[in-house]
Amino acid sequence: MTILVPILGDQLSHTLASLRAVTPAEAVVLMMEVADEATYVPHHPQKIALFFSAMRHFADELREQGWTVDYVRLDDPANTGDFAGEVARAAQHHSATRIVTVAGGEWRVVEGQRDWAERTRLPLTVLDDDRFLCTIEQFAGWAKGRKRMIMEDFYRIMRRQTGLLMDGDQPVGGQWNYDQENRKSVPKGHRFTPPLRFAPDAITTEVMALVAGRFGNHFGSIDGFSWAVTREQALAALADFITHRLVGFGDYQDAMVTGEDVLNHSLLAPALNLGLLSPLEVCQAAEAAFHAGTAPLNAVEGFIRQILGWREYVRGLYWFAGPDYTARNHLAATRPLPALFWGAPTDLKCLSQAVDATRRNAMAHHIQRLMILGNFAMLVGADPGEVHRWYLAVYADALEWVEAPNVIGMSQFADGGMMATKPYAAGGAYVNRMSDHCKSCNYDVKQRTGPKACPLNSLYWDFLARHEETLKNNQRLWRMYDGWRRFSAEEQVRIREQAARFLATLA
Ligand code: FAD
Ligand code: DLZ
């Protein structure tokens, strides 16, 4: 009797439910590098290399622990190219009598897993993925019937449930949220401590060559790959962040600095999303730093809120919203994604900085994703489906359950307000306040119209005017619409013509 245990690329946890459910004596673990997963969107080469290298390392670790692992490499001539084909092939090869696996992390994969039983004619057990702090059912119970799913309400429940930063029933420090203290701009000359990076070992080097050969035409550079690819490295990256960089996490959380890719961000999302780290251990490490007096409350609470709050919330929302969530298009936006997202030159400094960081690192930090790239895509009316596929392709941490709510919901308002209470729309003034980009930009951030005017300004007002019917009753936008109505009719026309000229030349 052989139990086949398929483990997917984002299930690299030694405590995975399927590994707990069987013993090494009765099981064959199946891990598959498949062309379908590498190409269903054109993933950044670093993202593909990260998955393949982490999967290969994980397979070696399992073998060292006594598991039998059938590892299918991408370049195996017998590789059928998709999960279903590989599960069927392995089931036959190992004369498997049943299959035990953990539910995949996206609708597309979960739907595919259901077919494995039919394809192999074997009993199939799909276990819940229990590596999260809130179950899908718990979230649905909380969300059902609510008019608004406010993250902050959810977060407080999760604080109480886990006891993180709690003093009995009350938040440590007397406040649940220190976000107000987390919007400082960076003083001139401030030096950020660089994150711990990992030089590619032999496995990663081999994978990088494979990826460069097969997917070298995808947007993004493979050079400079330095991601953690094992749990040991991920734990070292976590310890390094907690010791050296958590202390400043809160202060400059929303800041952007020219030439500075990371600031005080943790860069832990890829390791968390692949399963190399657990969300609870990451939060507990941050909490311990607060109790040890090495990191202030605004930094620690801000960091824990991202993981215990936002990460769990978006995962719950993704499964609650259903498989058609990624097709939503509340603002009926249809423009093809502008070529600058794929690296075509742009003279907007904020955009060129964010796209270039994405190209070099398969990473951009939150405010670049939300308020630079996402904001621009929404203002120009880019098709949210195309925007979603771009984000899914280019970031090392992009898995649909976390990417889609952030893109469709938070950044494009395409779900009509299920996630965000208003569109995250901004003109140049926001970028100028939160970054130093405008100082070295060709455009003048203070101007709305004219050849030197920052395009974000006219695009912002044009966006509000274009969607007035849909958005005017949103209370959180009243002040903005009030601002729009204060312009003279002539100025409104000038602004909209300026936006139209920009949009007409935007390829
Ligand atoms: P830090 O700033 O150090 O934050 C710590 C951790 O908190 C992150 O590692 C992450 O696990 C979690 N976190 C922070 N913000 C969020 C959030 N909004 N949603 C979920 N988790 C969060 N995150 C992804 O993991 N994958 C994605 O594909 C992804 N796509 C995004 C797309 C858009 C448009 C936006 C606005 C945000 C997206 N995020 C995504 C959330 C966030 O930008 C990234 O988690 C973060 O930039 C990763 O870098 P970091 O590890 O240095 O994060
Ligand atoms: C993202 C990705 C890539 C690039 N390649 C693979 C792969 O070859 N094999 C695999 O098991 N998973 C891969 N993944 C992750 C999947 O696309 C998908 O997101 C997860 O399987 C969902 O649980």
Side-chain angles (χ1 to χ4, degrees):
M1 197 182 102
T2 300
I3 306 172
L4 189 66
V5 182
I7 293 185
L8 306 179
D10 60 347
Q11 298 180 344
L12 310 183
S13 312
H14 289 287
T15 53
L16 195 70
S18 54
L19 293 174
R20 301 199 315 266
V22 299
T23 63
E26 62 187 355
V28 170
V29 170
L30 172 66
M31 298 183 69
M32 311 156 265
E33 295 174 5
V34 289
D36 251 23
E37 296 306 311
T39 56
Y40 74 96
V41 289
H43 300 289
H44 193 297
Q46 285 194 34
K47 179 181 177 186
I48 304 176
L50 168 66
F51 273 83
F52 288 5
S53 176
M55 286 168 65
R56 290 183 186 195
H57 281 93
F58 188 72
D60 286 350
E61 288 168 11
L62 288 180
R63 286 192 188 107
E64 277 165 28
Q65 292 166 12
W67 295 92
T68 304
V69 182
D70 179 352
Y71 191 96
V72 184
R73 288 178 176 229
L74 187 79
D75 49 9
D76 180 338
N79 192 328
T80 56
D82 62 40
F83 286 152
E86 285 314 287
V87 169
R89 199 163 69 85
Q92 194 176 37
H93 179 72
H94 299 290
S95 304
T97 48
R98 69 187 182 102
I99 303 172
V100 175
T101 195
V102 170
E106 56 190 282
W107 285 104
R108 178 185 62 86
V109 174
V110 167
E111 280 157 12
Q113 282 175 314
R114 289 194 195 115
D115 295 338
W116 294 356
E118 202 179 313
R119 185 97 184 242
T120 58
R121 303 199 178 283
L122 292 176
L124 167 71
T125 307
V126 181
L127 301 166
D128 287 345
D129 188 344
D130 56 11
R131 295 172 301 162
F132 293 85
L133 295 161
C134 177
T135 65
I136 293 170
E137 292 71 30
Q138 184 192 349
F139 186 91
W142 172 78
K144 216 166 168 191
R146 260 169 210 268
K147 246 178 143 182
R148 289 238 171 260
M149 292 187 269
I150 307 290
M151 198 292 289
E152 183 69 24
D153 299 343
F154 170 79
Y155 169 56
R156 292 181 189 186
I157 293 171
M158 294 307 293
R159 288 272 294 275
R160 288 204 160 101
Q161 180 174 311
T162 57
L164 284 163
L165 288 183
M166 293 300 293
D167 191 356
D169 197 37
Q170 291 307 308
V172 165
Q175 243 175 270
W176 289 100
N177 181 317
Y178 290 83
D179 211 21
Q180 292 306 331
E181 294 174 31
N182 293 350
R183 294 186 186 141
K184 295 187 184 140
S185 37
V186 179
K188 213 167 172 226
H190 181 84
R191 293 263 168 130
F192 289 92
T193 309
L196 186 62
R197 303 281 196 175
F198 303 91
D201 64 4
I203 293 178
T204 305
T205 305
E206 189 184 6
V207 164
M208 286 167 71
L210 170 78
V211 170
R214 283 283 291 268
F215 310 107
N217 59 335
H218 290 193
F219 168 78
S221 167
I222 188 79
D223 301 334
F225 182 102
S226 54
W227 294 103
V229 292
T230 63
R231 174 160 168 78
E232 194 186 338
Q233 289 181 339
L235 283 170
L238 170 63
D240 181 75
F241 169 72
I242 299 287
T243 310
H244 301 296
R245 301 185 308 112
L246 172 63
V247 62
F249 179 85
D251 290 352
Y252 309 128
Q253 207 177 320
D254 288 358
M256 293 168 282
V257 180
T258 301
E260 182 61 56
D261 292 337
V262 184
L263 295 97
N264 285 322
H265 293 282
S266 70
L267 294 189
L268 292 174
L272 275 162
N273 296 352
L274 267 70
L276 302 176
L277 294 174
S278 86
L280 186 60
E281 73 185 335
V282 174
C283 291
Q284 283 172 337
E287 185 186 39
F290 168 69
H291 290 306
T294 55
L297 189 52
N298 74 313
V300 173
E301 186 282 317
F303 182 70
I304 287 178
R305 179 165 15 97
Q306 305 311 312
I307 296 174
L308 179 64
W310 282 111
R311 188 171 185 271
E312 295 291 328
Y313 171 89
V314 300
R315 193 236 180 188
L317 189 141
Y318 173 75
W319 293 109
F320 180 70
D324 66 349
Y325 185 73
T326 54
R328 298 203 186 184
N329 191 353
H330 181 66
L331 298 176
T334 55
R335 175 180 291 276
L337 190 69
L340 68 88
F341 280 83
W342 299 111
T346 168
D347 45 13
L348 275 99
K349 188 67 178 256
C350 51
L351 283 170
S352 68
Q353 284 282 307
V355 173
D356 193 51
T358 306
R359 184 188 62 75
R360 286 183 286 106
N361 307 325
M363 199 65 175
H365 57 77
H366 186 71
I367 285 300
Q368 288 179 312
R369 295 190 206 194
L370 182 65
M371 298 309 295
I372 303 297
L373 298 162
N375 178 50
F376 183 77
M378 184 174 67
L379 294 188
V380 302
D383 177 339
E386 282 201 28
V387 181
H388 148 64
R389 284 187 289 281
W390 181 82
Y391 276 95
L392 192 55
V394 301
Y395 292 115
D397 54 30
L399 288 160
E400 193 176 276
W401 64 264
V402 51
E403 171 275 335
N406 273 299
V407 173
I408 297 288
M410 194 191 296
S411 97
Q412 300 303 294
F413 204 66
D415 67 1
M418 191 173 176
M419 181 166 171
T421 49
K422 71 173 174 75
Y424 278 92
Y430 174 88
V431 179
N432 196 26
R433 195 163 58 249
M434 299 314 298
S435 81
D436 62 358
H437 299 327
C438 305
K439 289 191 185 81
S440 54
C441 185
N442 286 337
Y443 292 110
D444 181 350
V445 69
K446 302 269 189 251
Q447 293 183 37
R448 278 190 297 271
T449 54
K452 278 293 194 191
C454 169
L456 294 177
N457 293 334
S458 56
L459 288 172
Y460 169 73
W461 292 116
D462 183 63
F463 170 82
L464 286 180
R466 207 164 69 228
H467 296 295
E468 189 160 5
E469 269 316 298
T470 315
L471 299 176
K472 70 180 178 198
N473 292 327
N474 184 321
Q475 290 183 22
R476 297 200 62 205
L477 293 175
W478 281 358
R479 214 162 43 86
M480 288 74 162
Y481 276 109
D482 196 41
W484 173 240
R485 286 180 205 114
R486 281 170 198 267
F487 291 127
S488 67
E490 293 77 18
E491 180 66 358
Q492 287 187 352
V493 169
R494 272 196 296 275
I495 291 171
R496 296 208 64 185
E497 283 176 353
Q498 174 92 11
R501 273 194 299 278
F502 180 83
L503 290 172
T505 57
L506 183 64

